[in-house]
Amino acid sequence: MRIAVAGATGNIGALTTAALERDGHDVVRVSRSLGVDLVTGEGLDAALTGVDAVVDTVNGPEGSLEETVAYFAATTRNLLAAGERAGVRHHVLLSIAGVHRIRGNSHYAAKREQERLVEAGPVPWTIVPATQFHDFAAMVASWTEHDGVAIIAPLLVQPIAPADVADVLAEIVAGEPKGRYADVAGPEPQDLVDMARRTNQARGHEVKLVPSWSGLFGPEMAGDVLLPGEGARLAPTTFEEWLDGQR
């Protein structure tokens, strides 16, 4: 198949591209750095010419709630409209497990708007909700790190390896539209503070972690809010196995 990967130069996009090419598909990379502007739509029609399916792995800049929602809404509308014009038969959106349980977070609000647009859009679709990635904990800690100290919320998550997410996306986009897919998660729950500590140790990065709800994530995200729902598809790679590759 000829498959377009939106956000192809990002982490998940690049891994998805590699997985699709490994499986013998012709991949069209869609990214601003490659001459396609998803916000304005410039270059998008040419990129989607002859494309059978699209997988959207786009990430965007964090801003205010309104700015973040507007960015993701614009990219999604343009992808769907261009996909309809090109005769695309399957639009796959990577989303977040539990996205409808979290309020007050700009990224989650933007993903909800993406889902709404895809569900109401003109192209047959599949939405794939995934849990946080294995590198999420260290990334969150880095956002607040100052003078060797970082604040991080004691969240319970069930993280998934980025490569496993890419494999699932590559499998699904090559198949028939499925509507809302089951949550996709890693094999076991983890504590975010412990994940950040172990990741930083593996990478040789020294930082003191302060567990607190005073940072970016509040107690509304505590408990099982971020865990996958019933009937989730569990990917094979454990956090420990992923961590081995960080050393």
Side-chain angles (χ1 to χ4, degrees), residues 175-198:
E176 295 299 316
K178 299 179 183 299
R180 188 168 189 86
Y181 196 72
D183 289 349
V184 178
E188 56 193 3
Q190 298 282 345
D191 171 75
L192 197 72
V193 180
D194 183 59
M195 285 175 64
R197 176 184 60 79
R198 293 166 66 193

Side-chain angles (χ1 to χ4, degrees), residues 142-166:
S142 72
W143 292 342
T144 64
E145 184 176 342
H146 182 69
D147 291 337
V149 179
I151 295 172
I152 183 168
L155 299 175
L156 182 64
V157 295
Q158 192 160 328
I160 184 169
D164 286 347
V165 175

Side-chain angles (χ1 to χ4, degrees), residues 56 58-59 62 68 72 93-102 105-115 127-133 136 139 143 157-158 160 165 169 180-185 217 221 225-229:
D56 183 357
V58 171
N59 205 351
E62 290 295 332
T68 306
F72 280 97
L93 172 66
L94 174 61
S95 191
I96 307 172
V99 72
H100 296 280
R101 298 194 292 265
I102 304 296
N105 181 288
S106 60
H107 189 70
Y108 277 65
K111 297 304 288 186
R112 286 194 297 272
E113 177 63 7
Q114 274 193 300
E115 289 192 4
I127 292 172
V128 182
T131 56
Q132 287 68 35
F133 307 146
F136 179 71
M139 179 177 65
W143 292 342
V157 295
Q158 192 160 328
I160 184 169
V165 175
L169 291 174
R180 188 168 189 86
Y181 196 72
D183 289 349
V184 178
F217 302 117
M221 300 177 82
V225 172
L226 297 181
L227 298 182

Side-chain angles (χ1 to χ4, degrees), residues 164-234:
D164 286 347
V165 175
D167 285 343
V168 171
L169 291 174
E171 172 198 317
I172 289 174
V173 74
E176 295 299 316
K178 299 179 183 299
R180 188 168 189 86
Y181 196 72
D183 289 349
V184 178
E188 56 193 3
Q190 298 282 345
D191 171 75
L192 197 72
V193 180
D194 183 59
M195 285 175 64
R197 176 184 60 79
R198 293 166 66 193
T199 304
N200 283 327
Q201 284 180 345
R203 294 173 174 175
H205 180 60
E206 292 188 13
V207 56
K208 179 182 179 181
L209 299 175
V210 179
S212 173
W213 294 113
S214 65
L216 296 171
F217 302 117
E220 72 278 359
M221 300 177 82
D224 62 359
V225 172
L226 297 181
L227 298 182
E230 290 185 11
R233 175 175 175 174
L234 301 185

